[in-house]
Amino acid sequence: MTRALSTVCLVLGVGIAGASAQSSGGGLHETLASASPAMARCVERSRAAGEEPPRRLEVRASIAASGRVREARVTSASPPRLARCVEGVVEGLRFSRRGEATRVVFPVSLADR
């Protein structure tokens, strides 16, 4: 019997480096939260491929002053397919313009509904 799982991805918090207090907010949480459905699809594909996704991921991203993500890396232990997919999702995000480049680190909770 196959059990369909629905996954909820929650960005739990964001650590910001290289940003002034004035520029550190500006939609980071909202933009990351908007990626939750795509990250949930990553988890579902990972499971379908026989991988065992962890309950939590940690992701590091470098954001250019333009708001484009220059690089994203899953820094916690995770299956390769899941890591590549999540990195691709984060690299596709567009944040609001900033006065300077920013690095963020954020945990993502992966929970079944």
Side-chain angles (χ1 to χ4, degrees), residues 49-103:
E51 294 179 337
E52 190 64 39
R55 303 233 5 79
R56 184 175 178 210
L57 296 175
E58 185 170 283
V59 181
R60 181 186 67 222
S62 296
I63 305 168
S66 67
R68 290 183 155 285
V69 177
R70 290 186 296 186
E71 179 186 31
R73 290 286 169 254
V74 172
T75 58
S76 55
S78 65
R81 179 185 299 264
L82 176 62
R84 283 191 306 269
C85 185
V86 168
E87 290 165 356
V89 168
V90 175
E91 287 174 350
L93 295 175
R94 297 296 174 262
F95 295 87
S96 53
R97 289 183 165 271
R98 308 190 165 283
E100 57 192 2
T102 305
R103 289 181 311 254

Side-chain angles (χ1 to χ4, degrees), residues 7 15 23 27 40 45 49 79 83 105:
T7 303
S23 67
R45 288 182 193 131
V105 177

Side-chain angles (χ1 to χ4, degrees), residues 5-48:
L5 294 175
S6 178
T7 303
V8 178
C9 296
L10 300 170
V11 175
L12 299 175
V14 180
I16 301 168
S20 66
Q22 188 176 27
S23 67
S24 64
L28 278 174
H29 290 99
E30 293 84 357
T31 301
L32 289 169
S34 74
S36 290
M39 288 188 199
R41 287 190 295 277
C42 290
V43 173
E44 290 166 6
R45 288 182 193 131
S46 175
R47 284 190 178 124

